[in-house]
Amino acid sequence: MAHPTQTAPAPLGRRERRKLEVRERIYLAAHALFDSKGFDATTVDEIASAADVAPATFFNHFQNKHALLEMMADGVIETLDDLTARHLAGSASSAERLRALIRSASDEIRPRRRVARLVLIEFIREAGPDQPSAYLDRILEPFAALIEEGQRAGDFRDDHDAAFLAQMAVGMLNSAIARWLSDPDSPVEQGLVEVTEFVLNVLQRPSEPT
Amino acid sequence: MAHPTQTAPAPLGRRERRKLEVRERIYLAAHALFDSKGFDATTVDEIASAADVAPATFFNHFQNKHALLEMMADGVIETLDDLTARHLAGSASSAERLRALIRSASDEIRPRRRVARLVLIEFIREAGPDQPSAYLDRILEPFAALIEEGQRAGDFRDDHDAAFLAQMAVGMLNSAIARWLSDPDSPVEQGLVEVTEFVLNVLQRPSEPT
DNA sequence: TCCAACTTTGGAGTAGACTCCAATTTCTCT
DNA sequence: AGAGAAATTGGAGTCTACTCCAAAGTTGGA
């Protein structure tokens, strides 16, 4: 799960390097704390002292505590994009690609359950009643790409466009993931596999007029 | 959208009646405020004064601000149960029943978009990383009941049990609703109808071995 | 080397959620 | 009517997120 703090690569003075370093330290400290204690139970002061900076410094780097979640959400999306790019490159069948993507995604999530939950909530919450959701669309993109690819190959139904099918697929996966995320002991692997197969079944079957 | 504050019907002294009245007043005030300003932007003091009680009184009735959301979530589930009971009673086809249920549900939600969003988030959030989600299961129940009915009638596929299919159906509907809730101007009617038809298509089509 | 720009930091201060408590009001029951 | 239980209320106090500011430290460049 890449986090977005590593962007500009080359021409950085010691100054900016330090700054990024601090920012990164805060981010990582927060990530660890959120994952172990949850968001609400984690104090800005705790984050600051875990990152070994003064409390005031925190606000030099992040507008507020919530901004950390947004950054983590960005990280998730980046990771998802990376995974998709990797799996699209491969030459397996459409179904196998989707399976692989979902397997990879679940591998990413597993060790960071708690943060994953927070991010999932963030995805829904972020879409304030005023602006269209940014995350939700970006989450769909990778799936849509993969499905479109599958449609072109003739593997997936094309009575709906890829975006719509992606939304349906993500919806189904989501409900499985949501359940998993909230129940620490549930057998994700198994549940997720079942849902994945169902999704494939739905995607593959061409529609007949009702 | 019934709210759960109306339970015990008969033997109430003036005292308990007053108490429920106050509770109800606070609940309604909060509901209105949440719907117009959102949760975070609404102050406990505001709620109290809108309900015409002292700020301290608020905490006599609700453990905290968040408890109001939980109560609203309960209300949603109750409403959903009611709707389902009503629609199960009817004698239409399985497909028609599902369409009717979803239509009713969307009618309930439409005038309370903002609160609906909060409640949706609550559904996901509530499942703390420690206890299994209570709401998520209860949300599925009505759909599962309806689907099971359809399976018995031979209208729906039965290669998976009703609970699983319900989860898939709710997942798909959810992703449509989530999108709608965050985009004030999106044509819910249309999107929801499209998704509903897709869900029906998925439910009706019996699976063939892959 | 020294200045200007930027960062960190401590400290004071605000707002809102929530607790605790004692005084007061409201109801119930006799 | 009057005692006792329960609810309301105001007030003081805590905790945390977050803002503002001035002092002090760090860095890059002339």
Side-chain angles (χ1 to χ4, degrees):
Chain A
M1 199 179 291
H3 36 73
T5 327
Q6 10 131 304
T7 32
L12 289 184
R14 198 191 328 262
R15 209 192 211 94
E16 357 270 346
R17 231 177 307 132
R18 283 255 181 278
K19 184 159 190 180
L20 283 194
E21 229 177 86
V22 174
R23 190 183 172 82
E24 178 82 356
R25 230 163 51 224
I26 296 175
Y27 179 88
L28 291 177
H31 195 287
L33 284 168
F34 289 173
D35 200 53
S36 71
K37 317 178 44 172
F39 182 78
D40 291 332
T42 301
T43 278
V44 170
D45 283 20
E46 282 174 328
I47 298 174
S49 82
D52 196 35
V53 293
T57 303
F58 175 91
F59 294 100
N60 284 342
H61 293 270
F62 299 92
Q63 210 180 17
N64 51 42
K65 202 175 139 187
H66 193 259
L68 287 165
L69 282 187
E70 289 166 26
M71 185 169 275
M72 291 177 199
D74 287 343
V76 168
I77 289 186
E78 260 181 46
T79 303
L80 201 56
D81 284 344
D82 289 353
L83 289 180
T84 311
R86 200 168 315 146
H87 290 301
L88 267 183
S91 57
S93 75
S94 298
E96 212 37 68
R97 277 182 199 161
L98 187 62
R99 288 196 189 95
L101 173 59
I102 291 172
R103 209 177 311 123
S104 310
S106 111
D107 287 343
E108 291 284 345
I109 294 179
R110 193 162 328 108
R112 298 163 178 77
R113 243 180 238 261
R114 212 144 174 179
V115 168
R117 243 191 81 244
L118 297 177
V119 168
L120 177 60
I121 293 172
E122 177 60 18
F123 285 154
I124 298 177
R125 177 182 217 129
E126 156 265 9
D130 296 321
Q131 56 219 310
S133 78
Y135 291 138
L136 289 180
D137 285 333
R138 296 204 48 199
I139 284 278
L140 291 181
E141 273 170 30
F143 288 90
L146 207 147
I147 289 176
E148 197 172 351
E149 193 63 19
Q151 287 178 324
R152 249 197 296 277
D155 295 332
F156 291 158
R157 68 198 289 174
D158 59 356
D159 57 336
H160 293 271
D161 58 27
F164 178 86
L165 292 177
Q167 193 172 338
M168 296 301 98
V170 169
M172 291 188 262
L173 291 167
N174 238 1
S175 77
I177 291 176
R179 165 171 306 261
W180 164 38
L181 288 179
S182 50
D183 180 358
D185 305 318
S186 90
V188 206
E189 321 299 329
Q190 184 187 319
L192 209 51
V193 167
E194 189 182 3
V195 173
T196 303
E197 292 309 315
F198 187 82
V199 167
L200 282 172
N201 179 283
V202 167
L203 286 180
Q204 287 167 341
R205 192 168 309 292
S207 97
E208 306 156 10
T210 312
Chain B
M1 200 180 288
H3 36 72
T5 328
Q6 10 133 304
T7 31
L12 291 183
R14 196 191 331 262
R15 208 194 213 90
E16 357 270 344
R17 229 178 308 132
R18 282 258 182 276
K19 185 160 190 179
L20 283 195
E21 229 176 86
V22 173
R23 190 181 172 82
E24 178 82 356
R25 230 163 49 224
I26 294 175
Y27 179 87
L28 292 178
H31 195 287
L33 283 168
F34 289 172
D35 200 54
S36 71
K37 317 179 42 172
F39 182 78
D40 292 333
T42 301
T43 278
V44 169
D45 283 19
E46 282 174 328
I47 298 174
S49 82
D52 196 33
V53 294
T57 303
F58 175 91
F59 294 99
N60 284 342
H61 293 271
F62 298 92
Q63 211 180 16
N64 51 43
K65 202 175 139 188
H66 193 259
L68 287 164
L69 282 187
E70 290 166 26
M71 184 169 273
M72 290 177 199
D74 287 342
V76 168
I77 289 185
E78 260 182 46
T79 304
L80 200 56
D81 285 343
D82 289 353
L83 289 180
T84 311
R86 201 169 314 145
H87 289 301
L88 267 184
S91 57
S93 75
S94 298
E96 211 38 69
R97 278 183 197 159
L98 188 62
R99 287 197 189 94
L101 173 59
I102 291 172
R103 208 177 310 122
S104 309
S106 111
D107 287 343
E108 291 284 345
I109 294 178
R110 192 162 326 114
R112 298 165 177 77
R113 242 182 238 258
R114 213 145 173 178
V115 168
R117 243 190 82 243
L118 296 176
V119 168
L120 177 61
I121 293 171
E122 177 59 19
F123 284 155
I124 298 176
R125 176 183 218 130
E126 157 265 9
D130 296 321
Q131 56 220 308
S133 78
Y135 291 136
L136 289 181
D137 286 333
R138 298 203 48 201
I139 284 278
L140 290 181
E141 273 170 30
F143 288 91
L146 207 147
I147 290 174
E148 197 173 350
E149 194 64 18
Q151 287 178 324
R152 250 198 296 277
D155 294 332
F156 291 157
R157 68 197 289 174
D158 58 359
D159 57 337
H160 292 271
D161 59 27
F164 178 86
L165 292 177
Q167 194 173 337
M168 295 302 98
V170 169
M172 292 188 262
L173 291 166
N174 238 0
S175 76
I177 291 177
R179 168 171 303 262
W180 163 40
L181 287 179
S182 50
D183 181 359
D185 304 319
S186 88
V188 206
E189 322 299 326
Q190 183 187 320
L192 209 51
V193 166
E194 189 182 3
V195 174
T196 304
E197 292 309 317
F198 186 82
V199 168
L200 281 172
N201 179 283
V202 167
L203 286 179
Q204 287 169 342
R205 191 169 310 291
S207 97
E208 304 157 10
T210 310

